[in-house]
Every structure is written in structure tokens, then in C-alpha cells.
Amino acid sequence: LPQDPMDFEWNYWIEWGRERILWLLAGHLLVSQVSRLLVEKYKPWCFMVYGMAACWLLLGIKGFAVILVHATISFAVAQFQLSLLTWLCSLILLSTLRIPAVEEAKRKWYDTENEYYLLLFTVSVRCLFCTSFSLEYCWHGPAHKSSHSFLWMLAYVFYYPTFHNGPLMNFDEFSKQMRRKEAFSLKTNLSILILGIIRIFFWWCLAELMIHLMYIHALYSSAPPLEAASYWALGGLALAQVLFFYVKYLVLYGVPALLLQMDGLKPPPLPCCVSLMHSFTKMWRSFDVGLHRFLVRYIYVPMGGSQSSLLGTLFSTALTFAFVSYWHGGQSYLWYWGALNWLGVIVENAVKRILSVSLIQDLI
């Protein structure tokens, strides 16, 4: 049956994967296993050099320069060791991706729109990595200079398995795990690789079946079928949409997660099945775990989080969702999406507090 072509993200990454990215990831895997076998001590620098070479090959000298300039500016601003200044720098760098004149200039660097979008997506994700490193630098200070040097920043920013689309891994976790020395077994790694490939292939087949049989996205892109459908049918379509989204990210995050394991790192857990979720809070905690850890560590907790007053908690939660909406693109529908998620989390937490009152507990 013909494929439903309306899910841009799936088609985009599968096309890039087949053309170049999977081959570059295979190259990283080869470099990883050789460096772990022969030069374990220099493993981070081998990954850094390979990531830079892959970036240059895929995005060109100008794309490589953009990411290097972002990292350099972030590192320079981090020297002041002011978290607020670091955040201001990160938001300004992120905002440059949405300046029309800058967008047009970058488009001219490439022959196709897809190549420009690859730079856009990559730089967006790199902004989070630069922010993570810079804030860790601000918090740890001169006492940890050796572990927070510019070389370590480059090793983190240009680490290839997470380079284009994540998953996100905070610098403190990346640094600790990369420095950790553990026994290397080629036989064990080979079994992990084979099992991982089988699982990812199964998920990919399932996603392909869904877009060849269900046409969820084609239905969503046309108003008449939605207007004619019953509420039960609309509910079923919504469930099908989020289930496909889940399976899609098992593939998109599953491949880099497998490579992280092969490199001796512990990747963030893969998304939890949406059919097992009944709350906004659990959805945010267990779907994109790497992004959740970033938001909690660098925005929610520093702004007071659940330890502050009621107004403080509301504010820190609102700021977290505002950043998520802005980072995803800042379009009006994303602000509505962020606001509704914020409202869902607030209502859930309010109900939990009410139910925890002893009088209510006695009534229950």
C-alpha cells in the first residue's frame, strides 16, 4: 500500500539515515570499539575528532563553523560564572536561528532545503548541549578546570551519536561516564549490538506498517474527514497519533542509545509507552527523559521548584514550559501546547495536594 507522506519528521530522518547518517554512525561505532580496545585513555578525544570530521562532511565548512562559534561564545561567556548571563547568551544564540536575514543567508549555503533543515535541527540541539556545559562550568568554578576545559566542551558538543537529534545528556553525566574506566569485552559488546539492532529493526517495521496502513497524518491534514468523524473516532485518531509518535522515537532515540551503550555510557531511558500513562506529569518525566533531566536541573530547581511557595512553584513550572515552547520553534500553536501542558501539570499537583489532606484521606 502507498505510504502516508504527511509525517515530515519520520520521512526526513529516515531519508537522511539511509543516505549518510547511518553510515557515519557506523563509522563512529568502528572508531569507538578500536579506541576502547587500544587507547581507552584517549577515547573522548577520538570521539571529538570523529564528530568534528562527520560534522564537516555533512554540514560543510560553514555549518561546522556555526557550531564551533556557538560553542566558543558559550564558553567565553561561561568564564564570568554567572548563570543568568549564561542563560541570556543561550537564548540570544537560539534566537539567531529565527532571524529571517540569517535564515536566508544559511539557506544559500546549501543546494537543498533538507540540508538547511539539518543545520537548523543540529544547531538547536547543540544549543542545549552548550547551555548544559556552560551552567555546569558556572556552578563548579576554577576547582574543576581540568574537567571543564574547552577541549571537554568540544568533546561533549561534537559527540556524534547525539549530534543531530539527541537524546539529550547533561554534561555532568557525560563527563562522569566518559572518565569512568570499565572492562571492555568485544564479545559482550557484539551481543549488545546484535540484540539492539534486532529491537530497533522491529520498531522500524512497526512504524512503517503504521504509516502504510493507518494514514493517521493524512487524515489530520484534511478537515472534511475530521468534521465527519464521531467523537469516538477522533479519540481513536488522537491515540493512534501519540502511539505512532512513541514508536517513532523508539527508533530515533534507539539508534543513538545503542551507540551510547557501545561507547560504555548509560543512555537516558527510552520513551515509556504512552498507553501506560495517565497523567501530564508522568508523560513529561518518562517520555523524553534526557530533556526532562535538563529542564529540572537547569530551570525548574534553580528557580525554586517544588521547594518554594505556591506562587514560586507556579512560576518555575511556567518558565520551564515557556522554554520548551520557545526551543521547539516558538510558533503560536507551541505556546498553546506549552500552556495546556502547564495547566495539566498544575491541576494534577493541586488535586494531589488536596487528596493528601488528612480529612480527605479519612473520607476516602
Side-chain angles (χ1 to χ4, degrees):
L1 291 169
Q3 176 184 324
D4 180 354
M6 300 306 293
D7 189 80
F8 169 79
E9 190 176 32
W10 176 257
N11 294 326
Y12 183 85
W13 290 117
I14 292 298
E15 186 183 334
W16 267 109
R18 284 171 179 160
E19 284 182 8
R20 295 187 195 175
I21 290 177
L22 277 179
W23 299 105
L24 288 170
L25 289 172
H28 172 90
L29 179 62
L30 182 63
V31 169
S32 162
Q33 301 312 290
V34 170
S35 62
R36 290 190 72 191
L37 192 62
L38 302 176
V39 284
E40 174 75 23
K41 186 180 176 182
Y42 301 103
K43 179 177 71 174
W45 319 125
C46 294
F47 293 165
M48 179 189 76
V49 171
Y50 182 84
M52 287 177 150
C55 172
W56 193 315
L57 182 68
L58 213 55
L59 299 175
I61 179 65
K62 291 178 180 176
F64 171 78
V66 167
I67 293 167
L68 190 60
V69 166
H70 273 236
T72 306
I73 292 171
S74 296
F75 185 77
V77 171
Q79 302 307 302
F80 292 99
Q81 294 187 285
L82 297 170
S83 298
L84 186 61
L85 192 61
T86 292
W87 264 116
L88 186 62
C89 171
S90 297
L91 291 172
I92 289 170
L93 289 174
L94 197 58
S95 68
T96 60
L97 302 179
R98 301 183 186 110
I99 299 171
V102 176
E103 285 183 338
E104 281 306 309
K106 287 177 182 175
R107 274 190 168 91
K108 290 174 184 175
W109 298 348
Y110 301 106
D111 298 326
T112 65
E113 195 80 352
N114 273 2
E115 289 175 295
Y116 163 71
Y117 279 128
L118 185 64
L119 174 67
L120 183 67
F121 298 148
T122 305
V123 175
S124 296
V125 176
R126 292 307 95 201
C127 277
L128 296 185
F129 278 69
C130 288
T131 304
S132 175
F133 177 91
S134 300
L135 288 170
E136 294 294 340
Y137 186 95
C138 290
W139 295 345
H140 288 89
H144 295 81
K145 271 188 178 178
S146 61
S147 58
H148 292 78
S149 65
F150 187 58
L151 266 180
W152 267 105
M153 184 181 199
L154 293 181
Y156 175 57
V157 169
F158 284 97
Y159 180 64
Y160 195 69
T162 61
F163 192 66
H164 298 294
N165 195 40
L168 186 57
M169 192 176 188
N170 293 340
F171 178 73
D172 61 319
E173 297 170 27
F174 176 84
S175 177
K176 284 174 193 171
Q177 293 179 34
M178 196 63 84
R179 291 167 184 278
R180 187 180 58 208
K181 291 182 180 179
E182 55 180 33
F184 173 72
S185 169
L186 200 58
K187 186 179 177 182
T188 304
N189 265 20
L190 189 61
S191 63
I192 291 170
L193 180 65
I194 292 167
L195 184 62
I197 288 172
I198 291 168
R199 291 175 72 195
I200 291 163
F201 181 71
F202 170 74
W203 296 330
W204 175 77
C205 288
L206 183 57
E208 285 291 322
L209 276 172
M210 290 174 85
I211 60 173
H212 280 86
L213 295 174
M214 297 178 75
Y215 304 107
I216 314 154
H217 304 92
L219 285 166
Y220 267 115
S221 65
S222 178
L226 297 178
E227 289 168 353
S230 67
Y231 289 129
W232 280 104
L234 290 173
L237 276 171
L239 179 60
Q241 174 92 339
V242 293
L243 284 170
F244 177 78
F245 192 76
Y246 159 64
V247 175
K248 173 170 69 176
Y249 269 87
L250 284 180
V251 177
L252 296 182
Y253 279 178
V255 174
L258 177 58
L259 288 171
L260 281 159
Q261 281 184 284
M262 298 297 290
D263 292 345
L265 307 178
K266 185 183 178 183
L270 291 176
C272 182
C273 180
V274 290
S275 292
L276 301 176
M277 296 181 195
H278 60 273
S279 75
F280 285 95
T281 310
K282 188 179 178 184
M283 178 73 181
W284 279 99
R285 281 180 182 165
S286 56
F287 192 86
D288 191 337
V289 178
L291 180 61
H292 174 260
R293 288 173 180 171
F294 176 93
L295 296 171
V296 169
R297 182 169 177 80
Y298 301 121
I299 303 177
Y300 185 69
V301 171
M303 293 308 297
S306 57
Q307 303 304 311
S308 60
S309 63
L310 178 61
L311 280 176
T313 304
L314 290 172
F315 177 70
S316 50
T317 312
L319 207 59
T320 303
F321 281 110
F323 175 76
V324 171
S325 301
Y326 183 69
W327 178 72
H328 274 89
Q331 291 88 347
S332 58
Y333 72 90
L334 288 167
W335 291 112
Y336 296 138
W337 167 72
L340 288 169
N341 274 277
W342 173 76
L343 190 62
V345 168
I346 292 303
V347 169
E348 281 174 4
N349 281 288
V351 170
K352 277 183 187 177
R353 287 192 180 191
I354 291 167
L355 293 177
S356 67
V357 174
S358 56
L359 180 63
I360 303 294
Q361 288 283 314
D362 293 339
L363 286 171
I364 290 170

